[in-house]
Amino acid sequence: MSVQPLPSDLLYTVCDLSEHGFETTQDLEEVPGLVGQERALDAIRFGTRIKRQGYNLFVLGPSGAGKHTAVMSYLTAEAKNQKAPSDWVYVNNFNIAHKPLALELPSGRAQKLKEALRSALDDLKLSIPAILESEEYKTRRQAVEGEYANRQQKAFETLNKRAEDAGIALVRTPSGLILAPAENGEVIKPEDFNAKPKEERARIERVIAELQKELGNIIEHIPSWEKEKHERISELNRAIAVSAVGRAMRAIKSEFAHMKKVAAWLEEVEEDLIAHINLFAGNDGREDGREPLFGAGEEDDRAPMRRYEINIIVDGTHSENGGGAPVVFADHPTLGNVLGRVEHVSQMGALLTDFTLIKPGALHRANGGYLIIDAIKLLREPFVWDALKRALRSRQIVMESASEYLSLVSTVSLEPEPIPLDLKIVLMGDRQLYYMLCAYDSDFAELFKVPADFDDVIDREPENDLLFARFAATIAAREKLLPFDKSAIARLIERASRLAEDTEKISLLIAPIADLMREADFLASEADAKQVTAAHVDEAVEAQISRTDRLRERSHEAIARDILMVDTEGEAVGQVNGLSVLQLGQSSFGRPGRITARVRTGGQSARIIDIEREVDLGGPLHSKGMLILSGYLAGTFLPREPLSLSASLVFEQSYGGVDGDSASSAELYALLSALADLPIKQSLAVTGSVNQMGEVQAIGGVNEKIEGFFDICARRGLTGDQGVLIPAANVKHLMLRQDVVDAAERGMFAIYPVARIEEGVELLMDLPAGKRERNGEFPPNSVFARVEAALTRFAAAARPPMPRGAAKDGGFRVS
């Protein structure tokens, strides 16, 4: 055989750290950032520093690569060197109440404005009632009220005097004032009045009519006199309010005079305070017809003053990272949590709101800094993605509510004034999501121009080994783990290579390595060890596998008990052991399975039937592999004749979907065995894809596949004839378990690197595959000669019979 088993040193590449002068992680300097992510970190630096619209970031890479930690660490450090954002507040709009005003103030000034205004209001709550209770105010008010009372009294006295002179009495009744005839100050009875002469009665009625008209004029003027009185009192109150309010507001207006919009609003506050001095008269503000927002049972002594409250939306001095520009992570990016929301309270069965119930969103809190959002969470929430794009394009935060999209009825609600937006959005997701957004959302490329792509692996070189060791030392120091000695670090690097499925690479998936370190530290602590060794790391790996190993054990047990039929000894025609990998949650394991082939003459229906595809259990990649088999057969055998072959291929006892082309070489071996009528060794298993040229190509999960077949062989007993055929290109990916390496070193299990189908044929069938000679024939007794002979027979059988009388040379016999 031309292909020899791999030596044991190629089955597991040991990490040698002897040239590095450290004993434990305590001897190593910590790494400030991530290992091997220079490209991504450069992109993050560029995206955060360029001040142009649309240069937001999308951080893409595999889960567990440390994207979130790296981005948060970098942005936090970067933000501390930047200025704190402005304060933003919402205040009452005295002109249009349902459109609150947004005011911008320098960082830290919003709270001072709020406290200063509250202090001014508290002063007014003391000073104005004192003024209203003063003797001077009472005297001036009583003078005004007395003047109008006297005017009214004088009018009635004049009327009463004229009535008395004319013998008429002015009588007050429950229904009002009436005029009636009288004598000697007494009202005449109706029968006495009717007894008077007709001329006298007419005179009295005429006088009463005149007096009644004058009484009407007096009553008609009373409301205008009352209005004049209230206006005079209002003028008096306003004169007092102007003085008191002006004195209380003078300091605050002076302090914020340089802020035009704030100063203009303070002017409106002063005017409104002067107009509503009754707020301070101890009647809870109800005299002017306005009710407080909350019910009477609510303990809110500031309810009458809510119109002058200041709702601080953003306080720059309390930024998310403790200083500088804010760095905000939106963990739950709903529409309200991102854009902000307007809350409501229930009062008397109705939902009410005002500007004090406006709550900020992540955009408000991150304004002037950085907002980090998990892209998949963002896209799962209704309406948020489009709203975020609108905010980025318009560069302002407009509060939107989901009810506005879902309601069929338009209702008047608060419309807070938009706030200008100036920040960097950092979306985080996997590569597939990034490419889908690029392909299907035309706005995405315009708004997120900077991709930061995190690598999966780095080269396994001495300098990178040391860099990885330093990174492990950083994790140990930050997590307060026991020191890891050199052997433990070497084992971590080897494990990282196993995760990368490449002996020349180290996985940059930080999460599983950090978890392994924590678990190894726990085991070392349980054993009262002073430091973590390779034995503790190995024990942690075994414990991780054991926790998720139930399904693998059940699967292998079913094979060992012959419930699932997989042979590990003997020979069979048209039957081969294929290898697959099952990924279930965090568990990944190899499982062998029987692949069989049956062949017959094809005739007009010549084709290779993929039974998995016929019953919709085969995926597109598996179907592609089957079509490649047809191309290989057509190019290798009977070059001058069409194939007349019908064959069926199937994964026996497969009850789920099958995808991937890693079994295509095994299927081809089974098909060639069936055509040549030569048995295949069942002590060998096969993995690898094949192309139309017969080259065996690399596949994934090679370690799990080898170990899966080894476990079955070990259960039944190793014979020394068992092994696995793998693509030669996969040799550099081997990081096998120690028990597999030991068995190979003892000659009890073999791994064969196969580059071409011909090499695999010779290993599986113990005959040379054969190479077409100059005469166009394969060597006698070769596998390919037997295959071509079978295909020739099928072609002859499928060829239509010659017409009667036709000559052997194709002509016609002449009689």
Side-chain angles (χ1 to χ4, degrees):
M1 292 186 299
S2 59
V3 179
Q4 298 298 319
L6 290 171
S8 59
D9 60 338
L10 293 181
L11 305 183
Y12 188 92
T13 304
V14 177
C15 178
D16 183 10
L17 297 176
S18 58
E19 65 180 85
H20 301 297
F22 73 93
E23 294 302 323
T24 71
T25 51
Q26 289 182 324
D27 304 329
L28 294 171
E29 183 181 356
E30 294 184 17
V31 179
L34 285 180
V35 173
Q37 301 291 4
E38 286 75 16
R39 181 196 296 109
L41 294 177
D42 286 343
I44 294 172
R45 278 191 286 270
F46 168 75
T48 54
R49 293 181 181 179
I50 184 171
K51 304 302 180 186
R52 298 289 180 181
Q53 188 172 5
Y55 281 86
N56 297 292
L57 293 97
F58 192 105
V59 179
L60 59 150
S63 177
K67 303 188 298 293
H68 185 271
T69 302
V71 170
M72 285 295 292
S73 298
Y74 175 80
L75 292 182
T76 301
E78 184 77 9
K80 285 182 178 178
N81 300 322
Q82 300 176 8
K83 69 175 184 178
S86 299
D87 291 352
W88 283 95
V89 302
Y90 273 113
V91 295
N92 184 31
N93 186 337
F94 296 103
N95 299 315
I96 309 175
H98 72 281
K99 292 187 177 182
L101 301 176
L103 303 181
E104 181 182 10
L105 297 95
S107 180
R109 300 302 301 276
Q111 190 63 37
K112 291 183 178 179
L113 175 63
K114 184 172 185 175
E115 292 172 357
L117 187 55
R118 277 195 172 183
S119 177
L121 293 175
D122 290 339
D123 290 344
L124 290 173
K125 290 169 96 175
L126 295 174
S127 61
I128 290 181
I131 294 172
L132 296 179
E133 294 297 326
S134 67
E135 289 298 327
E136 179 185 358
Y137 174 79
K138 288 181 179 179
T139 300
R140 294 174 63 182
R141 177 163 182 158
Q142 288 172 0
V144 173
E145 291 175 345
E147 177 184 343
Y148 285 93
N150 291 335
R151 180 185 296 181
Q152 184 175 330
Q153 183 180 359
K154 185 177 180 181
F156 280 112
E157 287 177 351
T158 302
L159 177 65
N160 190 44
K161 178 101 173 39
R162 288 188 58 197
E164 288 178 354
D165 293 343
I168 304 299
L170 181 62
V171 182
R172 187 179 299 273
T173 68
S175 60
L177 295 173
I178 64 171
L179 294 165
E183 286 182 355
N184 300 321
E186 295 294 331
V187 176
I188 300 174
K189 293 180 180 181
E191 55 272 19
D192 294 339
F193 176 76
N194 292 331
K196 287 181 178 293
K198 182 177 180 181
E199 293 80 7
E200 182 65 17
R201 291 200 309 270
R203 183 190 68 79
I204 293 173
E205 289 175 351
R206 186 172 60 253
V207 171
I208 289 176
E210 292 174 357
L211 292 175
Q212 186 71 44
K213 183 177 181 182
E214 188 173 345
L215 175 61
N217 289 335
I218 294 172
I219 294 174
E220 185 179 346
H221 280 84
I222 287 176
S224 63
W225 295 340
E226 286 293 325
K227 181 179 179 182
E228 289 179 14
K229 181 184 75 171
H230 283 294
E231 287 176 353
R232 292 275 300 278
I233 293 174
S234 296
E235 289 176 4
L236 174 61
N237 291 343
R238 180 176 178 83
I240 294 172
V242 167
S243 176
V245 173
R247 187 166 51 250
M249 294 291 294
R250 187 177 300 119
I252 185 173
K253 287 169 62 179
S254 174
E255 183 178 358
F256 294 93
H258 61 288
M259 305 175 196
K260 293 184 179 179
K261 194 170 181 179
V262 176
W265 181 73
L266 290 175
E267 290 287 350
E268 293 181 7
V269 170
E270 183 173 357
E271 288 297 322
D272 195 75
L273 284 169
I274 293 171
H276 297 90
I277 193 173
N278 286 327
L279 287 172
F280 304 95
N283 57 6
D284 291 339
R286 292 182 175 83
E287 185 175 278
D288 60 356
R290 291 180 298 105
E291 292 288 335
L293 175 65
F294 297 107
E298 193 79 25
E299 294 183 3
D300 185 3
D301 60 353
R302 303 198 63 86
M305 301 297 171
R306 292 181 69 86
R307 62 194 292 117
Y308 309 116
E309 282 289 336
I310 293 177
N311 183 9
I312 299 178
I313 298 296
V314 178
D315 188 345
T317 59
H318 296 87
S319 58
E320 300 285 333
N321 61 327
V327 179
V328 178
F329 173 62
D331 186 50
H332 187 201
T334 63
L335 187 63
N337 289 345
V338 173
L339 294 182
R341 63 191 182 278
V342 178
E343 295 183 342
H344 296 72
V345 295
S346 177
Q347 179 178 326
M348 303 294 290
L351 292 177
L352 303 179
T353 188
D354 68 3
F355 70 96
T356 63
L357 294 179
I358 299 173
K359 304 300 179 182
L363 287 177
H364 297 92
R365 293 186 287 114
N367 204 6
Y370 307 95
L371 175 59
I372 305 170
I373 309 177
D374 188 324
I376 192 65
K377 290 182 180 179
L378 179 71
L379 293 171
R380 283 173 179 164
E381 296 291 339
F383 312 119
V384 186
W385 176 239
D386 287 335
L388 180 62
K389 290 191 295 183
R390 283 194 295 272
L392 290 175
R393 282 196 298 266
S394 64
R395 303 187 67 128
Q396 60 181 8
I397 308 171
V398 179
M399 289 192 182
E400 302 177 19
S401 170
S403 61
E404 296 175 7
Y405 296 96
L406 301 175
S407 177
L408 298 177
V409 179
S410 178
T411 58
V412 177
S413 183
L414 286 190
E415 298 178 19
E417 184 180 6
I419 291 178
L421 182 64
D422 180 19
L423 84 170
K424 290 285 185 179
I425 301 286
V426 181
L427 293 184
M428 308 187 74
D430 57 30
R431 294 189 177 95
Q432 182 180 5
L433 181 59
Y434 173 77
Y435 297 130
M436 287 180 65
L437 287 171
C438 287
Y440 297 111
D441 192 327
S442 58
D443 298 324
F444 178 73
E446 176 188 348
L447 297 174
F448 293 87
K449 297 182 178 181
V450 184
D453 194 352
F454 275 66
D455 280 327
D456 301 3
V457 295
I458 56 171
D459 293 333
R460 184 171 164 181
E461 299 173 346
E463 56 270 23
N464 285 340
D465 289 347
L466 180 59
L467 190 60
F468 187 93
R470 289 178 57 199
F471 186 73
T474 304
I475 295 176
R478 292 178 182 173
E479 299 268 347
K480 294 182 171 52
L481 307 179
L482 291 173
F484 281 64
D485 70 7
K486 188 178 291 187
S487 68
I489 295 298
R491 194 68 83 243
L492 288 175
I493 293 174
E494 293 162 9
R495 185 63 182 172
S497 286
R498 165 81 180 222
L499 292 175
E501 297 189 8
D502 196 330
T503 60
E504 299 174 358
K505 301 289 183 180
I506 299 175
S507 172
L508 290 178
L509 297 183
I510 305 304
I513 296 299
D515 290 341
L516 182 58
M517 291 181 66
R518 296 183 190 103
E519 295 172 27
D521 167 80
F522 171 78
L523 294 172
S525 300
E526 289 281 295
D528 294 326
K530 301 300 182 184
Q531 57 190 23
V532 181
T533 65
H536 297 125
V537 176
D538 289 339
E539 186 180 356
V541 171
E542 292 174 3
Q544 285 181 342
I545 295 173
S546 177
R547 287 195 292 270
T548 60
D549 211 26
R550 184 183 65 84
L551 292 175
R552 184 188 72 89
E553 288 183 354
R554 294 294 178 269
S555 174
H556 290 177
E557 180 184 355
I559 295 174
R561 295 174 60 195
D562 294 328
I563 297 172
L564 296 178
M565 294 185 289
V566 174
D567 294 335
T568 55
E569 295 183 79
E571 297 179 332
V573 175
Q575 176 178 306
V576 68
N577 292 323
L579 298 173
S580 59
V581 174
L582 295 184
Q583 180 76 42
L584 299 169
Q586 297 180 351
S587 176
S588 176
F589 60 91
R591 187 181 72 172
R594 178 181 291 179
I595 299 174
T596 59
R598 289 293 179 265
V599 297
R600 57 194 175 278
T601 302
Q604 294 182 350
S605 61
R607 67 183 182 123
I608 299 177
I609 298 174
D610 176 13
I611 294 179
E612 308 295 333
R613 181 181 59 191
E614 294 296 320
V615 296
D616 293 330
L617 287 179
L621 294 180
H622 179 258
S623 300
K624 174 186 175 183
M626 295 298 299
L627 295 175
I628 289 174
L629 299 190
S630 300
Y632 173 78
L633 291 175
T636 305
F637 303 103
L638 297 183
R640 296 181 180 87
E641 292 191 46
L643 293 179
S644 299
L645 164 70
S646 285
S648 59
L649 285 161
V650 68
F651 281 77
E652 302 288 357
Q653 293 183 289
S654 170
Y655 306 108
V658 176
D659 201 5
D661 62 349
S662 63
S664 57
S665 64
E667 292 168 325
L668 181 55
Y669 293 135
L671 187 57
L672 293 174
S673 168
L675 287 168
D677 196 23
L678 289 172
I680 288 177
K681 296 178 182 178
Q682 300 303 296
S683 58
L684 298 176
V686 178
T687 185
S689 67
V690 65
N691 61 23
Q692 294 189 108
M693 312 307 295
E695 297 169 322
V696 180
Q697 303 168 138
I699 43 82
V702 64
N703 293 292
E704 289 84 356
K705 291 176 178 179
I706 293 172
E707 291 165 357
F709 189 67
F710 173 83
D711 289 340
I712 299 302
C713 295
R715 273 178 177 259
R716 292 176 172 173
L718 296 175
T719 63
D721 296 327
Q722 293 146 335
V724 176
L725 279 64
I726 68 169
N730 279 123
V731 172
K732 62 185 68 176
H733 302 147
L734 295 177
M735 290 292 291
L736 294 168
R737 289 195 324 243
Q738 190 59 45
D739 56 346
V740 182
V741 176
D742 292 342
E745 193 170 7
R746 299 195 314 269
M748 300 302 292
F749 196 80
I751 290 91
Y752 298 97
V754 175
R756 293 192 56 82
I757 285 296
E758 293 83 354
E759 297 172 352
V761 166
E762 294 178 5
L763 286 169
L764 293 168
M765 303 181 196
D766 262 347
L767 282 176
K771 185 177 182 180
R772 200 176 292 278
E773 298 176 341
R774 290 185 177 180
N775 61 2
E777 303 290 335
F778 288 107
N781 297 323
S782 67
V783 175
F784 283 4
R786 297 173 67 107
V787 171
E788 190 160 73
L791 292 173
T792 301
R793 291 195 301 273
F794 290 162
R799 192 178 300 125
M802 295 177 62
R804 294 184 62 183
K808 290 184 179 181
D809 60 358
F812 289 94
R813 186 177 298 124
V814 179
S815 58

